[in-house]
Amino acid sequence: MEETIKKGFADVDLGIFVKGVIIGLSIAAPVGPIGVLCIRRTLAEGRLAGFVSGMGAATADAAYGMIAGFGLTSIASFLVGQQSWLRLIGGLFLCYLGFKTFLTKPSEETIASKKQGLIGNYFSTFLLTITNPMTIISFAAVLAGLGVGTSQRDYHSSLILVIGVFAGSGLWWLTLSTVVNYLGKGFNSQRLVWVNKMSGIVIFIFGCIALVR
């Protein structure tokens, strides 16, 4: 009897984890400013730089998922209440990155990437994602749709779900950086210049949209 119950819990946990992976993939897959940054950094600095950049966003998504899943309503309410300021910060940061990317030359980029390092890549995308508190509402809707509430058992389910989301998001960034790195092996300095210009314009537009909102 006890083994049957344990097996039942394991099956439920696996199901929730798989759902989390699918959710993580669906959240990360749409091409936004983080995706553009990941692609550009992969082409300019290598696969690891692109992957680490994506994981910064995955960490921020997981943090918001934890807040929603564990019913930390006071933190969630505060962040949602400050969303105007947070969007302003995120929008300005995107505009800055877009402008900087547009003007950066491949040779200068190599020197800058050595100074910034992987930690800088990680925290830049983490900051961009964490300044979008509406992610909490998205996670709250997903948790409600899956029937995850606020009981002790649901806390466990929420944790499994968030781990799955983080794994799914990480799987997407690993796949994207690997594919882009493979396709971009033939890119020379001239092509990278155009990649920077196009990426800069797109990122700047995303920043303007965030500011208008």
Side-chain angles (χ1 to χ4, degrees):
M1 181 69 176
E2 184 178 351
E3 291 182 0
T4 303
I5 294 175
K6 288 182 178 179
K7 184 178 179 182
F9 276 115
D11 290 340
V12 172
D13 288 347
L14 180 59
I16 293 175
F17 177 79
V18 171
K19 289 178 180 178
V21 171
I22 295 173
I23 294 168
L25 284 168
S26 64
I27 290 174
V31 178
I34 306 300
V36 175
L37 271 175
C38 178
I39 291 172
R40 189 192 67 81
R41 285 176 177 171
T42 300
L43 291 172
E45 304 172 34
R47 181 177 61 180
L48 184 59
F51 173 66
V52 170
S53 296
M55 292 309 293
T59 304
D61 284 335
Y64 275 143
M66 292 285 284
I67 293 173
F70 284 87
L72 303 176
T73 54
S74 58
I75 297 176
S77 298
F78 172 77
L79 290 172
V80 173
Q82 301 299 319
Q83 63 177 301
S84 297
W85 288 105
L86 290 171
R87 284 187 181 275
L88 177 63
I89 295 171
L92 290 174
F93 189 40
L94 278 173
C95 289
Y96 163 75
L97 282 179
F99 185 72
K100 181 181 177 182
T101 300
F102 182 86
L103 297 177
T104 300
K105 297 179 181 178
S107 57
E108 297 173 349
E109 193 166 38
T110 302
I111 297 173
S113 64
K114 289 180 180 179
K115 291 181 179 179
Q116 176 173 297
L118 296 176
I119 295 177
N121 289 337
Y122 175 88
F123 279 106
S124 62
T125 51
F126 177 84
L127 175 63
L128 286 173
T129 309
I130 210 70
T131 51
N132 182 21
M134 295 305 290
T135 307
I136 294 178
I137 296 177
S138 300
F139 270 106
V142 169
L143 292 167
L146 294 176
V148 179
T150 57
S151 68
Q152 186 174 0
R153 171 62 191 163
D154 287 339
Y155 285 151
H156 175 76
S157 300
S158 298
L159 178 60
I160 297 298
L161 183 73
V162 170
I163 293 173
V165 169
F166 183 76
S169 182
L171 178 62
W172 167 256
W173 296 119
L174 177 62
T175 302
L176 180 64
S177 58
T178 300
V179 171
V180 171
N181 183 67
Y182 176 77
L183 295 177
K185 287 182 177 179
F187 271 53
N188 52 29
S189 298
Q190 188 63 34
R191 288 185 177 181
L192 285 176
V193 168
W194 283 106
V195 168
N196 282 350
K197 290 187 180 300
M198 294 303 298
S199 299
I201 292 172
V202 172
I203 294 171
F204 188 84
I205 291 173
F206 275 116
C208 292
I209 292 173
L211 291 175
V212 170
R213 286 180 180 177

